[in-house]
Amino acid sequence: MRKCWIITAASPVVFLGVLALIFLVPNPVGREFIKEAKALGYIVYTPDEAVALAYERCSTCHSEEKMLKYCSRCGPPFIVVTHFMKKYTEITNARNKDLNLRQFSDAEIVAITQAWNALIGNWESDWPEEDLRKLLNRDQALIDLLATPVEQRPIEDALKNTRAPGSYRRYDLGTSDKRS
């Protein structure tokens, strides 16, 4: 009887100790848990993490130069581009079973969109909102981001004075004084 009580009392202590080791002591397992928690939206991305994530995930398919030279004249705002990258990943995985690109989570895509908006330019105000909503289809995470004013987007606001070196500038489109 006494052994059962000791085991019952010690189990939560051991469990909490293991959790503390995983999360408080730097290690690969803890980093992976935290990375997954951020991707699922349980922990928010810092601006620096969002920039690193944008470069890491987008460079899987695109060169850094291609990303930095993107301009409003070449296509839609990043909020639409990132939505279509989600769709492209889905289509690519369906067609190429061996490739298996990791799909973007909603938290990742929102962080990546804000990072590129800040580093290269936010051209959402150059497009009618109803057109952007149509292009976003039913991507609720990005629709919610579109409805959020730029100054209330934490990553974009924190990086508002940061520009990616080598990014294309055309008539100062997408700069902070253009944002609404």
Side-chain angles (χ1 to χ4, degrees):
M1 174 84 162
R2 189 168 184 192
K3 285 183 182 180
C4 287
W5 185 83
I6 292 172
I7 292 172
T8 304
S11 295
V13 173
V14 170
F15 179 73
L16 290 174
V18 169
L19 283 179
L21 284 173
I22 290 172
F23 289 108
L24 299 177
V25 178
N27 63 69
V29 175
R31 277 192 294 279
E32 205 53 41
F33 273 119
I34 292 171
K35 183 178 179 180
E36 192 61 29
K38 287 181 182 189
L40 294 173
Y42 296 122
I43 302 173
V44 295
Y45 285 100
T46 66
D48 290 338
E49 290 169 339
V51 170
L53 178 69
Y55 277 100
E56 173 192 333
R57 292 300 307 274
C58 298
S59 66
T60 303
C61 300
H62 307 289
S63 69
E64 185 176 312
E65 182 181 5
K66 182 176 183 174
M67 293 181 292
L68 295 174
K69 299 300 179 195
Y70 187 82
C71 73
S72 63
R73 188 175 54 133
C74 301
F78 285 106
I79 198 165
V80 175
V81 172
T82 54
H83 166 71
F84 282 105
M85 289 300 100
K86 281 174 67 174
K87 290 295 179 192
Y88 177 74
T89 302
E90 186 179 306
I91 291 167
T92 302
N93 284 338
R95 287 185 182 168
N96 304 310
K97 300 293 183 196
D98 297 334
L99 189 58
N100 196 22
L101 294 172
R102 192 168 64 98
Q103 182 57 273
F104 295 94
S105 70
D106 287 344
E108 286 176 318
I109 212 69
V110 166
I112 289 168
T113 301
Q114 290 182 71
W116 288 130
N117 278 348
L119 295 176
I120 297 175
N122 183 335
W123 305 299
E124 293 166 18
S125 63
D126 296 344
W127 283 55
E129 186 174 339
E130 61 272 5
D131 290 349
L132 292 174
R133 285 182 178 275
K134 283 180 190 176
L135 289 168
L136 293 175
N137 198 3
R138 288 182 281 268
D139 193 336
Q140 196 57 50
L142 291 176
I143 290 171
D144 292 344
L145 181 64
L146 179 64
T148 305
V150 174
E151 56 276 353
Q152 292 177 13
R153 299 176 182 182
I155 295 167
E156 205 166 332
D157 189 54
L159 296 171
K160 66 184 170 195
N161 296 322
T162 306
R163 294 288 177 224
S167 63
Y168 180 70
R169 293 276 168 249
R170 182 173 183 259
Y171 310 125
D172 284 328
L173 293 175
T175 56
S176 59
D177 52 359
K178 176 78 171 157
R179 297 177 189 179
S180 53

